């Protein structure tokens, strides 16, 4: 493994923090969405989550014991900002968190946006509105000044595809809207927000800090035309403008019946193409597509919760084919070869762009046995196979700088509530009690260079 490689674990603010109405935190779109009947499984919300807001010292101690060298967390925008003003109590929480991480020898990797847009900005139009990108740049500048001397890596956005297309096209994520044009506008304004924020962060952060964005690139297999269409609206809509290629012509053609893309203004693409020190990639499973015959029942095995409309705007003639198992509790096929192929494709198509695996993991129906042990052998197998795939890609030339397991803790899994467990550490939700799963012990041994079975 290369020197300086980061072994980490990842979380997101709304999924773990709780304390939804404490210390001046304002509502986010996920507060509104989860409190709307029928939006989340069992009506679950993130009001308490895993109570990380009060138990963060315990969670940092667990990471230190596990040997984790970097912690990827997200900052809750509505915890630090509301009504046009910044909330000192919210900012101080993250300042204490960063200081404690550094004291424990853990590098802070801070994500500015993991889907929790302040509800007041959604009320003004949300991500389909250009002004939201400017608000985001203001937020980034403030947090850069507050924490920039101590953060190892800044990530502007996590999985903007989900924010734009699951939130504004399919409606299965907050804010729950189903307008394909708004989804395309949101995608552009998220890209613009990244570019604006990257520039102010570089001015505020320590010179040694890295700057990044994290994408959930769909690793596509199947018929060429179906792959091309889905690739355009799920991968290249972000990857191409971020890396200086502008929006792909075939995407504009595929969506021409919906919009003329006039919301992209002169100079936007140059702003979006801010220099990246590392590209974060999240991988869970591959996606298999083919052209729909237009007659048979259309298959929707795309790995996302089925909504009123497809999140894949401009891909109405494509269907998503069910793949062979085994499957995780999310219904996602377990296939580590997709990670290797994706890393090598990025290395081939975008040489010179360092990569970091910012999320990789699996949800299973974990049970605590009579002795208090969680024997999550399937998760151990998943991690072992995917880390082997990462190493094969690195041996073939892929420049991978780190690996972050998703997730440190069981947590609020968005529209699936508390029904899906991804954590290395089990959480008893009524009490908040933490308990290491076998996978946590395995990961500790792996990081330390041992030979876990």
């Amino acid at each position: 493994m290369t020197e300086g490689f980061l072994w980490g674990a990842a979380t997101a603010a709304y999924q773990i923090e709780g304390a939804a109405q404490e210390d001046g935190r304002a509502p986010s779109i996920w507060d509104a969405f989860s409190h709307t009947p029928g939006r989340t499984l069992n009506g679950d919300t993130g009001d308490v989550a895993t109570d990380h807001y009060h138990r963060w010292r315990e969670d940092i101690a667990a990471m230190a014991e596990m040997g984790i060298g970097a912690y990827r967390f997200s900052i809750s925008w509505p915890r630090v900002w509301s009504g046009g003003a910044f909330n000192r109590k919210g900012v101080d929480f993250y300042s204490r968190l960063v200081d404690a991480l550094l004291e424990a020898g853990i590098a802070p990797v801070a994500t500015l946006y993991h889907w929790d847009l302040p509800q007041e900005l959604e009320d003004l139009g949300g991500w389909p509105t250009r002004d939201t990108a400017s608000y985001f740049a203001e937020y980034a500048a403030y947090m850069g000044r507050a924490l920039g001397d101590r953060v190892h890596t800044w990530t502007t956005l996590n999985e903007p595809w989900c924010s734009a297309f699951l939130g504004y096209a399919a409606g299965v994520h907050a804010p729950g809207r189903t307008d394909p044009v708004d989804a395309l506008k949101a995608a552009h304004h998220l890209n613009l927000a990244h570019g604006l924020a990257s520039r102010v962060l570089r001015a505020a952060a320590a010179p040694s800090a890295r700057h990044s964005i994290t994408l959930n690139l769909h690793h596509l297999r199947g018929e060429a035309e179906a792959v091309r269409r889905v690739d355009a609206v799920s991968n290249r809509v972000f990857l191409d403008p971020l890396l200086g290629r502008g929006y792909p012509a075939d995407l504009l053609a595929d969506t021409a019946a919906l919009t003329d893309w006039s919301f992209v203004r002169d100079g936007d693409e140059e702003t979006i193409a801010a220099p990246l020190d590392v590209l974060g990639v999240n991988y869970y499973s591959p996606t298999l597509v083919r052209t729909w015959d237009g007659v048979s029942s259309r298959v929707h095995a795309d790995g996302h919760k089925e909504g009123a409309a497809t999140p894949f705007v401009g891909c109405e003639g494509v269907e998503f084919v069910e793949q062979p198992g085994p499957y995780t509790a999310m219904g996602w096929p377990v296939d580590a070869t997709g990670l290797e192929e994706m890393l090598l494709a990025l290395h081939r198509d975008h040489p010179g762009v360092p990569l970091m695996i910012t999320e990789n993991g699996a949800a299973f129906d974990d049970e605590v046995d009579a002795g208090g042990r969680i024997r999550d052998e399937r998760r151990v197998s998943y991690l072992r196979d995917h880390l082997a795939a990462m190493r094969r890609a690195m041996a073939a030339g892929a420049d991978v700088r780190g690996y972050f397991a998703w997730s440190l803790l069981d947590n609020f899994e968005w529209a699936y509530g508390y029904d899906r467990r991804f954590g290395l550490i089990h959480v008893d939700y009524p009490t908040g009690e933490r308990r290491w799963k076998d996978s946590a012990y395995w990961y500790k041994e792996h990081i330390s260079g041992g030979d876990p079975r």
Side-chain angles (χ1 to χ4, degrees):
M1 198 60 64
T2 57
E3 185 177 351
F5 188 91
L6 294 179
W7 287 107
T11 65
Y14 189 73
Q15 294 182 273
I16 65 166
E17 284 183 359
Q21 298 181 34
E22 290 188 38
D23 293 337
R25 181 186 178 277
S28 76
I29 55 174
W30 269 98
D31 292 287
F33 186 85
S34 65
H35 280 269
T36 302
R39 290 295 201 180
T40 64
L41 193 62
N42 302 318
D44 290 341
T45 75
D47 288 0
V48 177
T50 68
D51 199 28
H52 174 75
Y53 190 76
H54 300 111
R55 304 181 71 144
W56 57 272
R57 293 177 183 85
E58 176 184 353
D59 295 334
I60 290 177
M63 284 188 277
E65 184 180 351
M66 204 179 296
I68 285 171
Y71 175 47
R72 179 176 175 254
F73 64 96
S74 77
I75 296 167
S76 169
W77 190 351
R79 191 176 293 286
V80 301
W81 180 91
S82 65
F86 285 92
N87 172 27
R88 192 68 243 176
K89 287 184 177 180
V91 176
D92 286 347
F93 168 72
Y94 294 107
S95 185
R96 291 192 298 271
L97 180 74
V98 166
D99 283 346
L101 288 167
L102 292 172
E103 289 171 10
I106 300 169
V109 177
T111 299
L112 283 169
Y113 188 71
H114 200 132
W115 307 353
D116 48 356
L117 181 72
Q119 181 60 39
E120 60 190 287
L121 294 184
E122 174 62 22
D123 293 340
L124 295 174
W127 285 112
T129 302
R130 188 180 181 90
D131 286 348
T132 304
S134 298
Y135 281 112
F136 184 75
E138 178 188 345
Y139 156 56
Y142 189 93
M143 295 310 300
R145 291 191 295 271
L147 306 178
D149 59 332
R150 290 164 286 162
V151 168
H152 178 281
T153 300
W154 285 98
T155 301
T156 52
L157 308 172
N158 176 78
E159 299 187 350
W161 184 87
C162 293
S163 298
F165 294 98
L166 296 183
Y168 290 95
V172 296
H173 276 197
R177 287 159 59 177
T178 53
D179 185 322
V181 177
D182 275 354
L184 294 170
K185 291 179 179 177
H188 173 61
H189 295 140
L190 284 155
N191 279 335
L192 183 62
H194 161 78
L196 293 170
S198 293
R199 285 164 169 76
V200 297
L201 277 173
R202 282 194 183 274
S208 61
R210 303 178 188 181
H211 298 269
S212 69
I213 187 172
T214 281
L215 304 180
N216 59 314
L217 299 173
H218 291 70
H219 181 64
L220 299 162
R221 297 166 173 166
E223 296 179 2
E225 174 58 15
V227 166
R228 183 203 63 75
R229 278 186 171 270
V230 178
D231 182 53
V233 79
S234 65
N235 297 334
R236 289 183 284 120
V237 63
F238 298 106
L239 202 54
D240 281 14
L242 288 169
L243 297 180
R245 299 181 177 184
Y247 286 104
D250 60 333
L251 171 66
L252 305 187
D254 291 344
T255 57
L258 295 170
T259 176
D260 61 3
W261 288 74
S262 58
F263 48 81
V264 180
R265 299 183 184 175
D266 289 345
D268 282 1
E269 290 176 322
E270 289 77 10
T271 298
I272 292 166
L276 281 175
D277 297 316
V278 63
L279 174 64
V281 292
N282 294 349
Y283 175 86
Y284 292 94
S285 63
T287 302
L288 181 61
V289 296
R290 69 186 176 203
T291 301
W292 180 41
D293 62 16
V295 178
S296 59
S297 180
R298 190 171 168 211
V299 183
H300 294 277
D302 60 12
H304 304 291
K305 189 175 181 182
E306 191 168 347
T310 178
F312 296 94
V313 176
C315 298
E316 290 73 15
V318 174
E319 62 180 352
F320 295 78
V321 182
E322 188 170 347
Q323 300 174 70
Y327 306 101
T328 69
M330 297 292 289
W332 299 341
V334 177
D335 186 346
T337 64
L339 175 60
E340 179 182 2
E341 293 167 3
M342 184 182 75
L343 293 172
L344 289 175
L346 287 167
H347 170 64
R348 179 192 67 234
D349 297 341
H350 306 284
V353 178
L355 306 172
M356 188 178 294
I357 300 170
T358 39
E359 288 182 26
N360 178 238
F364 292 109
D365 297 326
D366 304 319
E367 295 182 1
V368 182
D369 69 16
R373 183 174 171 184
I374 300 105
R375 303 173 186 268
D376 58 336
E377 295 92 347
R378 290 181 293 174
R379 182 173 293 107
V380 170
S381 176
Y382 181 99
L383 294 172
R384 180 188 292 113
D385 290 349
H386 283 76
L387 287 170
M390 176 190 76
R391 283 186 164 88
R392 290 194 300 271
M394 294 174 71
D399 183 6
V400 182
R401 304 290 180 88
Y403 175 92
F404 290 76
W406 182 270
S407 177
L408 176 68
L409 301 162
D410 289 338
N411 54 43
F412 175 81
E413 185 49 39
W414 308 112
Y416 291 100
Y418 296 100
D419 192 67
R420 307 290 195 272
R421 292 181 177 269
F422 276 90
L424 298 171
I425 297 175
H426 179 275
V427 177
D428 179 74
Y429 294 120
T431 67
E433 180 186 2
R434 275 82 160 133
R435 190 189 304 265
W436 284 31
K437 303 175 187 178
D438 281 3
S439 58
Y441 292 106
W442 182 91
Y443 195 45
K444 176 181 179 177
E445 288 298 317
H446 190 93
I447 292 170
S448 70
D451 184 21
R453 290 180 293 173

